[in-house]
Amino acid sequence: AQKVTQVQTEISVVEKEDVTLDCVYETRDTTYYLFWYKQPPSGELVFLIRRNSFDEQNEISGRYSWNFQKSTSSFNFTITASQVVDSAVYFCALNDYKLSFGAGTTVTVRA
Amino acid sequence: GAVVSQHPSWVICKSGTSVKIECRSLDFQATTMFWYRQFPKQSLMLMATSNEGSKATYEQGVEKDKFLINHASLTLSTLTVTSAHPEDSSFYICSAVLGSFKGGYTFGSGTRLTVV
């Protein structure tokens, strides 16, 4: 069974639109971490955010915001007022006993 | 902040040859490092867990004789792709654990391997 499911495979928007990426995870552990990473075409993984299972406080950082809901095992990510530079593949990941990545969501922002 | 250096960034090799990829933690000691492989348009798949001073732990389906991992020091892990074939062409990324095991991953910049 897949541990991390990213609902959208691809999202294409016009600049300045908001983009929400949905992530659902599955684990039996009570202590775990959730991550979002960005992978631009160059390939390196850019760390965006980390949340532990005891911290359900949602966060806004600039144009990025995250919604962690333990009750629904979801950890969603929103880009507000998207820009062309946001075009990348975004990965949601879960670390319970090892780090497992979702399949990724390709975000394309058109000018 | 914690930095992991991965070298080379890209490499092209001929079929049948071996290629070594290095992963170094620059400003911290990493007793555990991880190696991932990513095929085009796919996710990152864990290949193996590298532990300093002991044998690596390989994920199911990963050939340990083909992907040799050595973690001889607290700052260096190497992945050697032996007798490379075109199907080994992929993006390989390492990561190291900093601090808390579950929350402290730092990734290298990746190595793009092309076998011709």
Side-chain angles (χ1 to χ4, degrees):
Chain A
Q2 192 165 1
K3 300 186 72 170
V4 181
T5 302
Q6 292 185 240
V7 176
Q8 301 90 358
T9 303
E10 295 183 17
I11 298 177
S12 181
V13 298
V14 177
E15 224 174 3
K16 298 185 181 178
E17 289 184 1
D18 295 348
V19 179
T20 295
L21 310 182
D22 298 315
C23 174
V24 178
Y25 62 92
E26 177 185 334
T27 181
R28 294 182 179 178
D29 277 14
T30 57
T31 303
Y32 53 88
Y33 280 83
L34 294 163
F35 304 81
W36 274 100
Y37 291 93
K38 173 182 178 180
Q39 188 177 43
S42 56
E44 79 274 18
L45 279 178
V46 178
F47 167 77
L48 296 177
I49 192 171
R50 175 183 69 197
R51 270 286 176 272
N52 72 51
S53 50
F54 300 106
D55 181 7
E56 288 193 71
Q57 183 176 357
N58 294 317
E59 181 176 333
I60 297 175
S61 176
R63 295 186 297 109
Y64 297 161
S65 62
W66 293 269
N67 186 338
F68 175 30
Q69 293 194 341
K70 205 169 177 178
S71 60
T72 57
S73 298
S74 65
F75 185 44
N76 301 332
F77 168 48
T78 297
I79 305 171
T80 303
S82 61
Q83 300 174 3
V84 173
V85 293
D86 296 326
S87 297
V89 180
Y90 291 81
F91 289 99
C92 178
L94 162 72
N95 191 16
D96 40 17
Y97 65 94
K98 67 177 182 180
L99 190 62
S100 301
F101 286 86
T105 299
T106 301
V107 174
T108 303
V109 182
R110 308 185 308 276
Chain B
V3 177
V4 172
S5 173
Q6 189 171 339
H7 179 81
S9 301
W10 60 270
V11 58
I12 301 174
C13 71
K14 292 184 177 181
S15 289
T17 61
S18 296
V19 174
K20 180 185 285 188
I21 302 170
E22 292 188 348
C23 181
R24 292 181 184 272
S25 56
L26 295 186
D27 49 2
F28 66 101
Q29 293 183 333
T31 55
T32 303
M33 292 185 175
F34 303 88
W35 287 95
Y36 296 84
R37 179 169 54 186
Q38 184 182 31
F39 291 110
K41 299 189 183 301
Q42 294 189 23
S43 187
L44 285 81
M45 298 302 296
L46 180 65
M47 298 175 65
T49 302
S50 169
N51 299 297
E52 187 267 336
S54 64
K55 291 184 178 180
T57 303
Y58 291 82
E59 295 298 301
Q60 191 172 7
V62 177
E63 300 175 58
K64 61 180 66 177
D65 294 332
K66 180 168 188 60
F67 298 100
L68 300 180
I69 291 173
N70 184 284
H71 194 157
S73 77
L74 287 171
T75 59
L76 174 64
S77 175
T78 60
L79 168 68
T80 301
V81 183
T82 63
S83 187
H85 290 154
E87 56 263 34
D88 298 324
S89 298
S90 186
F91 192 60
Y92 294 86
I93 308 177
C94 69
S95 73
V97 177
L98 171 66
S100 168
F101 179 77
K102 289 189 174 183
Y105 286 88
T106 302
F107 284 85
S109 56
T111 299
R112 197 166 300 279
L113 169 65
T114 302
V115 184
V116 298

